[in-house]
Amino acid sequence: MVLKVLNLPDDKRVLVDLRSSDDAGIFLLDDNRAIVATVDFFPPIVDDPYLFGQIASANALSDVYAMGATPLLALSISCFPPKKYKPDVLCKVIQGAIDKCNEAKCALIGGHTLKDEEMKFGLSVVGVVSPDKVVLNSTAKPGDALILTKPLGIGLISTALKAGKADDNVIEKATEMMLTLNKVPAELMVEAGASAATDITGFGLIGHSLEMARSSIVGIRLYADKIPYFSDALEYAKMGLIPGGLHKNAEFSEPFEHIPDEIPQEMIDILHCPETSGGLLISIEKNKADRLVERIKEEGFEDATVIGEVVESPRGVIEIVP
Ligand code: CO
Ligand code: CO
């Protein structure tokens, strides 16, 4: 771990920083307000530049939502290859970002672009939260239920897309999912008094669950038959259209996961699949979970469901139940 060798200063105003595996940093302004700040950028995962700008923005905004905060402003970060694309491609990406930020009532107030071999785009987002409403990933409690709000499989679908094997219908559905802000489910989870949350992105469901289990010093049990995913993604996994990040995720979490033999390999691939602008993983007292799922579903997140539970032990381990 690179971060372990860093010498971090102690600043009493800093509530969350690099020492935690949380989605964003938190800086206390006064008794009632804290600033939440995050940055995320990556290469295109769809061909359309306008859609890419929107997806990258929804993804970056998600880390602010995952902490129960409200985004206020954003700055864009672009790497642009002028030999590969005309300048209007970058304009379309940034317009996508402006429009998605607008939808989030977040002001895109500036940014920085540099020339690079490969296009990359993302945002640094600043949000605000009342310190007593912050939702961390380190406060999941044994006995909690775990809710996932969006289906899995984006990395497999984008690998199939690049290979020219993806079905148009599933590309459309997956794009729609990535464009959907985690805003409303995040507001509902704060209202319902969730104990912890994170969003599912590059490390996949098991990777992000593992971060939550470790930082909360608990174990996590996931019910394989309850986990929502794109059925086409499962087919792509069977066809061997596996993104590089999936292998890395699987390798990393291997020592900390219990997966029974009867779980088929393609389902294991889904559990490790890197996601973009994925759903929230919400930890909440069991007796409140069904009501929260119902409310999230009412808002159009039809795949939202309870996918597991938080257990006392084994700590720092993800157990998959068939
Ligand atoms: Co995150
Ligand atoms: Co992030």
Side-chain angles (χ1 to χ4, degrees), residues 23 63 198-199 201 208:
D23 294 296
D63 278 332
T198 189
D199 59 340
T201 52
H208 289 282

Side-chain angles (χ1 to χ4, degrees), residues 22-24 38-40 59-60 62-63 199 201 208:
D22 243 305
D23 294 296
T38 181
V39 58
D40 216 335
N59 182 78
S62 176
D63 278 332
D199 59 340
T201 52
H208 289 282

